[in-house]
PDB file of all heavy atoms in Angstrom:
ATOM      1  N   ALA A 189      69.863 155.014 179.083  1.00 97.00           N
ATOM      2  CA  ALA A 189      69.379 154.328 180.287  1.00 97.00           C
ATOM      3  C   ALA A 189      70.546 154.008 181.203  1.00 97.00           C
ATOM      4  O   ALA A 189      71.689 153.878 180.742  1.00 97.00           O
ATOM      5  CB  ALA A 189      68.652 153.038 179.901  1.00 97.00           C
ATOM      6  N   ASP A 190      70.254 153.906 182.508  1.00 96.00           N
ATOM      7  CA  ASP A 190      71.242 153.472 183.485  1.00 96.00           C
ATOM      8  C   ASP A 190      70.554 152.559 184.494  1.00 96.00           C
ATOM      9  O   ASP A 190      70.002 153.023 185.496  1.00 96.00           O
ATOM     10  CB  ASP A 190      71.865 154.683 184.194  1.00 96.00           C
ATOM     11  CG  ASP A 190      72.887 154.255 185.234  1.00 96.00           C
ATOM     12  OD1 ASP A 190      73.187 153.041 185.306  1.00 96.00           O
ATOM     13  OD2 ASP A 190      73.372 155.126 185.975  1.00 96.00           O
ATOM     14  N   GLY A 191      70.598 151.263 184.181  1.00 97.00           N
ATOM     15  CA  GLY A 191      69.930 150.276 185.038  1.00 97.00           C
ATOM     16  C   GLY A 191      70.573 150.114 186.403  1.00 97.00           C
ATOM     17  O   GLY A 191      69.992 149.479 187.285  1.00 97.00           O
ATOM     18  N   ASN A 192      71.764 150.697 186.588  1.00 96.00           N
ATOM     19  CA  ASN A 192      72.412 150.612 187.902  1.00 96.00           C
ATOM     20  C   ASN A 192      71.661 151.408 188.954  1.00 96.00           C
ATOM     21  O   ASN A 192      71.890 151.243 190.142  1.00 96.00           O
ATOM     22  CB  ASN A 192      73.853 151.129 187.814  1.00 96.00           C
ATOM     23  CG  ASN A 192      74.672 150.271 186.889  1.00 96.00           C
ATOM     24  OD1 ASN A 192      74.842 149.086 187.141  1.00 96.00           O
ATOM     25  ND2 ASN A 192      75.134 150.854 185.795  1.00 96.00           N
ATOM     26  N   ASN A 193      70.799 152.295 188.518  1.00 91.00           N
ATOM     27  CA  ASN A 193      70.039 153.118 189.457  1.00 91.00           C
ATOM     28  C   ASN A 193      68.557 152.742 189.479  1.00 91.00           C
ATOM     29  O   ASN A 193      67.710 153.561 189.802  1.00 91.00           O
ATOM     30  CB  ASN A 193      70.192 154.594 189.082  1.00 91.00           C
ATOM     31  CG  ASN A 193      71.512 155.149 189.583  1.00 91.00           C
ATOM     32  OD1 ASN A 193      71.858 154.960 190.749  1.00 91.00           O
ATOM     33  ND2 ASN A 193      72.255 155.792 188.708  1.00 91.00           N
ATOM     34  N   SER A 194      68.263 151.491 189.132  1.00 95.00           N
ATOM     35  CA  SER A 194      66.854 151.085 189.020  1.00 95.00           C
ATOM     36  C   SER A 194      66.103 151.181 190.344  1.00 95.00           C
ATOM     37  O   SER A 194      64.898 151.432 190.364  1.00 95.00           O
ATOM     38  CB  SER A 194      66.764 149.667 188.463  1.00 95.00           C
ATOM     39  OG  SER A 194      67.453 148.785 189.306  1.00 95.00           O
ATOM     40  N   GLU A 195      66.833 151.000 191.470  1.00 95.00           N
ATOM     41  CA  GLU A 195      66.127 150.991 192.758  1.00 95.00           C
ATOM     42  C   GLU A 195      65.642 152.374 193.203  1.00 95.00           C
ATOM     43  O   GLU A 195      64.905 152.498 194.179  1.00 95.00           O
ATOM     44  CB  GLU A 195      67.009 150.342 193.849  1.00 95.00           C
ATOM     45  CG  GLU A 195      68.107 151.214 194.423  1.00 95.00           C
ATOM     46  CD  GLU A 195      69.221 151.560 193.422  1.00 95.00           C
ATOM     47  OE1 GLU A 195      69.330 150.931 192.343  1.00 95.00           O
ATOM     48  OE2 GLU A 195      69.989 152.486 193.724  1.00 95.00           O
ATOM     49  N   LEU A 196      66.044 153.409 192.478  1.00 95.00           N
ATOM     50  CA  LEU A 196      65.596 154.761 192.858  1.00 95.00           C
ATOM     51  C   LEU A 196      64.102 154.952 192.620  1.00 95.00           C
ATOM     52  O   LEU A 196      63.464 155.814 193.223  1.00 95.00           O
ATOM     53  CB  LEU A 196      66.367 155.834 192.077  1.00 95.00           C
ATOM     54  CG  LEU A 196      67.853 155.959 192.386  1.00 95.00           C
ATOM     55  CD1 LEU A 196      68.479 157.070 191.548  1.00 95.00           C
ATOM     56  CD2 LEU A 196      68.082 156.210 193.876  1.00 95.00           C
ATOM     57  N   LEU A 197      63.553 154.175 191.696  1.00 93.00           N
ATOM     58  CA  LEU A 197      62.126 154.283 191.388  1.00 93.00           C
ATOM     59  C   LEU A 197      61.698 152.943 190.812  1.00 93.00           C
ATOM     60  O   LEU A 197      62.048 152.613 189.679  1.00 93.00           O
ATOM     61  CB  LEU A 197      61.909 155.426 190.373  1.00 93.00           C
ATOM     62  CG  LEU A 197      60.512 155.652 189.832  1.00 93.00           C
ATOM     63  CD1 LEU A 197      59.477 155.729 190.938  1.00 93.00           C
ATOM     64  CD2 LEU A 197      60.479 156.935 189.025  1.00 93.00           C
ATOM     65  N   HIS A 198      60.974 152.155 191.629  1.00 95.00           N
ATOM     66  CA  HIS A 198      60.647 150.803 191.157  1.00 95.00           C
ATOM     67  C   HIS A 198      59.436 150.224 191.872  1.00 95.00           C
ATOM     68  O   HIS A 198      58.903 150.801 192.817  1.00 95.00           O
ATOM     69  CB  HIS A 198      61.878 149.886 191.327  1.00 95.00           C
ATOM     70  CG  HIS A 198      62.320 149.714 192.756  1.00 95.00           C
ATOM     71  ND1 HIS A 198      63.273 148.811 193.150  1.00 95.00           N
ATOM     72  CD2 HIS A 198      61.924 150.342 193.892  1.00 95.00           C
ATOM     73  CE1 HIS A 198      63.456 148.889 194.452  1.00 95.00           C
ATOM     74  NE2 HIS A 198      62.654 149.797 194.928  1.00 95.00           N
ATOM     75  N   HIS A 230      68.942 163.378 189.411  1.00 96.00           N
ATOM     76  CA  HIS A 230      69.213 162.746 188.115  1.00 96.00           C
ATOM     77  C   HIS A 230      68.401 163.395 187.012  1.00 96.00           C
ATOM     78  O   HIS A 230      68.892 163.597 185.908  1.00 96.00           O
ATOM     79  CB  HIS A 230      68.891 161.250 188.170  1.00 96.00           C
ATOM     80  CG  HIS A 230      69.957 160.446 188.829  1.00 96.00           C
ATOM     81  ND1 HIS A 230      71.019 159.916 188.149  1.00 96.00           N
ATOM     82  CD2 HIS A 230      70.129 160.092 190.112  1.00 96.00           C
ATOM     83  CE1 HIS A 230      71.807 159.268 188.987  1.00 96.00           C
ATOM     84  NE2 HIS A 230      71.287 159.360 190.190  1.00 96.00           N
ATOM     85  N   ALA A 321      61.786 156.088 185.346  1.00 96.00           N
ATOM     86  CA  ALA A 321      62.310 154.909 186.032  1.00 96.00           C
ATOM     87  C   ALA A 321      63.139 154.094 185.061  1.00 96.00           C
ATOM     88  O   ALA A 321      62.926 154.114 183.848  1.00 96.00           O
ATOM     89  CB  ALA A 321      61.160 154.077 186.588  1.00 96.00           C
ATOM     90  N   GLY A 322      64.131 153.422 185.620  1.00 94.00           N
ATOM     91  CA  GLY A 322      65.024 152.611 184.789  1.00 94.00           C
ATOM     92  C   GLY A 322      66.458 152.605 185.310  1.00 94.00           C
ATOM     93  O   GLY A 322      66.975 151.578 185.617  1.00 94.00           O
ATOM     94  N   LEU A 323      67.049 153.798 185.426  1.00 96.00           N
ATOM     95  CA  LEU A 323      66.582 155.090 184.941  1.00 96.00           C
ATOM     96  C   LEU A 323      66.665 155.153 183.419  1.00 96.00           C
ATOM     97  O   LEU A 323      67.556 154.551 182.821  1.00 96.00           O
ATOM     98  CB  LEU A 323      67.415 156.230 185.536  1.00 96.00           C
ATOM     99  CG  LEU A 323      67.337 156.360 187.067  1.00 96.00           C
ATOM    100  CD1 LEU A 323      68.301 157.396 187.578  1.00 96.00           C
ATOM    101  CD2 LEU A 323      65.928 156.643 187.547  1.00 96.00           C
ATOM    102  N   THR A 324      65.771 155.912 182.824  1.00 97.00           N
ATOM    103  CA  THR A 324      65.763 156.088 181.370  1.00 97.00           C
ATOM    104  C   THR A 324      65.659 157.571 181.042  1.00 97.00           C
ATOM    105  O   THR A 324      65.239 158.372 181.882  1.00 97.00           O
ATOM    106  CB  THR A 324      64.544 155.385 180.751  1.00 97.00           C
ATOM    107  OG1 THR A 324      63.366 155.894 181.406  1.00 97.00           O
ATOM    108  CG2 THR A 324      64.597 153.882 180.908  1.00 97.00           C
ATOM    109  N   TRP A 325      66.031 157.927 179.835  1.00 98.00           N
ATOM    110  CA  TRP A 325      65.852 159.301 179.392  1.00 98.00           C
ATOM    111  C   TRP A 325      65.828 159.342 177.863  1.00 98.00           C
ATOM    112  O   TRP A 325      66.206 158.371 177.195  1.00 98.00           O
ATOM    113  CB  TRP A 325      66.945 160.232 179.938  1.00 98.00           C
ATOM    114  CG  TRP A 325      68.345 159.811 179.609  1.00 98.00           C
ATOM    115  CD1 TRP A 325      69.063 160.137 178.503  1.00 98.00           C
ATOM    116  CD2 TRP A 325      69.201 158.974 180.412  1.00 98.00           C
ATOM    117  NE1 TRP A 325      70.311 159.554 178.570  1.00 98.00           N
ATOM    118  CE2 TRP A 325      70.422 158.838 179.721  1.00 98.00           C
ATOM    119  CE3 TRP A 325      69.057 158.326 181.645  1.00 98.00           C
ATOM    120  CZ2 TRP A 325      71.478 158.085 180.222  1.00 98.00           C
ATOM    121  CZ3 TRP A 325      70.111 157.570 182.142  1.00 98.00           C
ATOM    122  CH2 TRP A 325      71.307 157.454 181.431  1.00 98.00           C
TER     123      TRP A 325
END
Side-chain angles (χ1 to χ4, degrees):
D190 179 6
N192 297 298
N193 280 311
S194 59
E195 78 293 346
L196 293 181
L197 176 50
H198 62 171
H230 281 271
L323 297 173
T324 55
W325 56 88

